[in-house]
Amino acid sequence: MTKQQPKVPASDQTLRILLLLARSRGPLPASVIAAQLGIPRSTTYHLLATLLEHDFVMHLPEERRYGLGIAAVELSSAYGRQEPLARLGRPLIATLVEQLGMSGHLAVPLGRDVLYIIEERYPGTPSLVTDVNVRLPMPATASGRAILSQLPKAQARALFPNAESFVSAHTREYPITKYSELRSVLDETVTRGYAVERGSVTEGISSVAASVVDHRGWPIAAVAVTFADRDHGTDEYPRLAAEVIETAATLSARIHGRTPAAQPVTD
């Protein structure tokens, strides 16, 4: 059977560009996009310009490459804000909370922020700002750092191109003010195998988090536990992280039917 030609070729080509960028591990040159999709170069540049205007792609002029923009990231996280991910994650978070005796969360990326879609509070623990539907800046939270650490470096850099991108009214004292500081935190997160945040959101409260990944290893959410510093020292972080990583891996497997590669936990 002959494949039916799309009724709106430009729409078809635009969607194919977005899908190609979504499946790639990093930004691509326009020439590569055109060649892989069989779209004329001139048409590719016109479509990319339109996508760039609406923030669905971002341009890296020094590298002459294009990657997904903030609008595309927000669209991709819409899945996480709806029932499938929340329903799959809620029983896992509840079990984690019961095992560790501390509050647990599931958050998804939303532009430069994370959006909390599950908050399970352990009985007797104080209420936290990380409630359902609350947005907080990625660099200030363990969940955000876990997600950002799994992105290609060029993608993370594009999300935070200047000092203004680090300004936020959502935290008591923003701990990171430039990309070099963020990169150092993310590199430490990769080496450690899990993300940590100490007092960035609430004084005296810390969190440990691990990313939930899709079938390509792309971070789509993060599992975190939050606790008072007086109750748990840094020497306990590896033990807590092991449970968090296992929960994140289980959720990844439930979403996509496979278990992602294990992330090492180091002291």
Side-chain angles (χ1 to χ4, degrees):
M1 180 182 295
T2 303
K3 184 178 180 181
Q4 186 176 2
Q5 294 298 314
K7 294 182 179 180
V8 187
S11 297
D12 176 74
Q13 292 167 341
T14 300
L15 291 173
R16 288 167 60 204
I17 289 174
L18 288 174
L19 287 172
L20 176 62
L21 291 175
R23 290 167 181 160
S24 301
R25 285 295 296 169
L28 299 173
S31 58
V32 172
I33 295 172
Q36 290 197 19
L37 298 179
I39 301 174
R41 281 199 184 191
S42 59
T43 301
T44 300
Y45 279 109
H46 285 309
L47 294 174
L48 287 170
T50 300
L51 289 168
L52 185 64
E53 181 180 354
H54 294 282
D55 294 325
F56 280 95
V57 302
M58 51 89 177
H59 183 221
L60 303 175
E62 294 83 5
E63 301 181 34
R64 297 183 181 179
R65 292 171 181 259
Y66 293 85
L68 290 179
I70 289 178
V73 173
E74 291 186 1
L75 273 184
S76 68
S77 68
Y79 170 83
R81 297 196 301 273
Q82 304 192 16
E83 282 302 300
L85 186 55
R87 287 193 176 194
L88 289 170
R90 187 167 287 109
L92 298 176
I93 300 298
T95 299
L96 180 66
V97 167
E98 184 65 26
Q99 288 176 339
L100 296 181
M102 56 187 61
S103 297
H105 316 277
L106 182 66
V108 295
L110 186 63
R112 297 187 183 99
D113 298 338
V114 287
L115 175 71
Y116 292 87
I117 64 172
I118 293 177
E119 195 253 0
E120 289 283 344
R121 194 189 314 166
Y122 189 75
T125 57
S127 60
L128 302 168
V129 299
T130 49
D131 205 350
V132 174
N133 293 327
V134 168
R135 290 175 61 164
L136 290 174
M138 279 191 178
T141 66
S143 295
R145 294 173 184 180
I147 292 169
L148 288 171
S149 70
Q150 297 300 304
L151 289 177
K153 290 184 178 181
Q155 197 83 31
R157 183 70 178 90
L159 282 172
F160 297 92
N162 49 47
E164 287 71 26
S165 60
F166 289 94
V167 176
S168 174
H170 295 297
T171 51
R172 63 182 186 88
E173 183 179 349
Y174 210 59
I176 298 174
T177 59
K178 54 187 178 181
Y179 183 74
S180 60
E181 295 173 349
L182 175 60
R183 186 70 258 163
S184 177
V185 169
L186 298 183
D187 290 343
E188 290 173 0
T189 299
V190 172
T191 300
R192 188 190 304 115
Y194 58 91
V196 171
E197 170 270 312
R198 302 192 68 197
S200 298
V201 178
T202 304
E203 188 174 3
I205 300 294
S206 296
S207 297
V208 169
S211 62
V212 176
V213 299
D214 66 10
H215 62 287
R216 303 158 301 149
W218 193 271
I220 60 171
V223 172
V225 291
T226 301
F227 46 88
D229 292 339
R230 65 176 181 272
D231 296 330
H232 300 279
T234 56
D235 59 318
E236 294 186 65
Y237 286 8
R239 175 182 66 84
L240 301 178
E243 298 289 344
V244 172
I245 291 171
E246 182 178 353
T247 299
T250 300
L251 182 53
S252 298
R254 289 192 177 186
I255 294 170
H256 299 287
R258 70 171 183 82
T259 302
Q263 301 180 44
V265 179
T266 58
D267 294 332

